[in-house]
Amino acid sequence: MNKTNTATKLALITERSKHNPQEKFTSLMHLLNEDYLKKCYQELRKGRAPGIDDRTLESYTDKEIDEVIKSLIGRMKAKKYKPQAVKRVFIKKSNGKRRPLGLPTVTDKIVQLAIKKILEAIYEPHFLDSSYGFRPNRSAHQALKAVHTMVMTKPVNWIIDVDIKGFFDNVDHQWMINCIAERISDPNFKTLIIKFLKAKIIEDGKYTKPIKGTPQGGVLSPILANIYLHYILDLWFERVESKKIKGYTEIVRYADDFIIGAQTKEEAYQILKDVKERLSKFKLQVSIEKTGIKEFGRFAEQNSKNRGNSKPDTFEFLGFTHYCSKSRAGNFLMKVKTNKKRQNSSLKEMNKWLKRARNLMKARDIWRILGSKLQGYYNYYGVSSNSRSINNYGYQVTKLVYKWMNRRSQKRSFNWEQFNHYLNLHPLPKPSLVYSMYDIW
């Protein structure tokens, strides 16, 4: 079977799934053929950290990867394929804590991507519009805009900001398997997914076998998380919770991070209580520190003043602080700014990189990578009303560049006049707003 046939079969699966929402797929393993796995290998992203075998994507030759894929197919057909242990590493979060990441090997990533594409073909037609994270043609900006539209056009006066405590580490395996079984009855395909859920984890030379969780960092984890939360949260909220609430309510979810809007204070507290009970049924808890109810909307500022407070509540979502403001005409307008912790964390990382790179690279290479980093930052944070934050970020980075470029040697390289002249000759990306949230009417 060639690549075209595999792609065609996935498209047909999507159509079947869309038009037959109760159908269970009984035969999927045959899709995992050599051509399909080779295509998945070619789609893997380069420059990623290696797994337990210390092999990167770039380290494989075409001939070697062909042999690897043949071996993978043979082991899967013989039911002897077993994922290698996942290497656990930790990255620092903006709050000082560490986030665990699981790094699979390249060969296991190939199989994971193959499974992911099949799961997407089956489940994507049924995921709800309220879900935005790690989905084709959906983005964090769209989730932010959905929140903006909800607050600006719906009778929302309260925001429920929910954070699931250690979601990826606490996904219950049996419930996950039950969710998969809702649409898939191919026993061999289900077993393959279970093997990835149960793959051993190595940390500091010690192996452990997980009894729960799906490691962040793997190709498969995001789609599994979306399937899990589709059943335990999204459908429940749409079919059960929103029906029992008399006032307006709406949920916007990006992966395990979600916001719920409510019309009244009493119902906001009821919804949060119900959400906690619902998650508890599936052995999940909300983070007490990060979960809360905020008065927010067109009446929040005046109500805050009536209580003697100078400013109304704000809430955090996807790296932005959302706050109540006014348009030039004096009307209520929700605005956003970069979360301070996120910006400070980004500046610290930039400072570390410049310090490290200044004597390892030529100036033109530093400039090229720096430009890419800045453009990536502006592409994400350059949304309506966030000019001040991104301009401040650009200014702070410019100061850091001046500092470290002057420490490439013992002799001072630039004064500010010379540096600004250099910037004119070799300009870096300028802070700019690239995404509008105000064109909602």
Side-chain angles (χ1 to χ4, degrees), residues 66-107:
D66 287 341
E67 293 172 354
V68 165
I69 288 173
K70 285 181 181 178
S71 174
L72 285 172
I73 296 293
R75 282 181 284 148
M76 282 191 280
K77 285 182 177 179
K79 299 180 181 179
K80 292 182 179 179
Y81 170 75
K82 185 179 180 181
Q84 296 181 68
V86 174
K87 182 167 71 174
R88 174 167 283 175
V89 297
F90 292 87
I91 58 172
K92 285 186 178 180
K93 297 168 66 174
S94 58
N95 60 5
K97 295 182 179 180
R98 300 193 305 164
R99 182 193 301 278
L101 289 182
L103 303 179
T105 62
V106 171
T107 54

Side-chain angles (χ1 to χ4, degrees), residues 75-205:
R75 282 181 284 148
M76 282 191 280
K77 285 182 177 179
K79 299 180 181 179
K80 292 182 179 179
Y81 170 75
K82 185 179 180 181
Q84 296 181 68
V86 174
K87 182 167 71 174
R88 174 167 283 175
V89 297
F90 292 87
I91 58 172
K92 285 186 178 180
K93 297 168 66 174
S94 58
N95 60 5
K97 295 182 179 180
R98 300 193 305 164
R99 182 193 301 278
L101 289 182
L103 303 179
T105 62
V106 171
T107 54
D108 288 336
K109 282 182 182 178
I110 295 171
V111 181
Q112 285 194 27
L113 181 56
I115 296 171
K116 170 184 175 285
K117 289 158 74 75
I118 294 170
L119 290 176
E120 280 183 348
I122 295 170
Y123 287 95
E124 263 298 319
H126 304 286
F127 286 157
L128 304 187
D129 288 341
S130 56
S131 165
Y132 292 88
F134 305 110
R135 293 182 58 190
N137 303 315
R138 293 211 143 205
S139 69
H141 286 149
Q142 290 173 325
L144 290 165
K145 193 165 187 174
V147 173
H148 187 270
T149 304
M150 174 179 68
V151 171
M152 294 299 299
T153 66
K154 306 298 181 183
V156 168
N157 301 306
W158 297 85
I159 292 291
I160 309 161
D161 184 1
V162 185
D163 183 273
I164 302 176
K165 188 176 181 179
F167 170 75
F168 284 91
D169 293 330
N170 290 292
V171 168
D172 183 81
H173 286 176
Q174 187 55 56
W175 280 116
M176 182 77 254
I177 294 164
N178 292 346
C179 291
I180 295 294
E182 285 290 314
R183 299 305 311 275
I184 295 170
S185 59
D186 182 335
N188 294 326
F189 193 78
K190 286 194 293 185
T191 298
L192 193 57
I193 294 173
I194 293 168
K195 284 182 177 180
F196 279 107
L197 288 173
K198 303 290 185 182
K200 289 182 179 179
I201 296 171
I202 182 169
E203 180 185 342
D204 297 329

Side-chain angles (χ1 to χ4, degrees), residues 14 92 165 193 276 300 309 314 328 392 440:
T14 297
K92 285 186 178 180
K165 188 176 181 179
I193 294 173
K276 287 179 179 179
N309 299 326
T314 64
R328 291 179 181 177
N392 176 260
I440 58 177

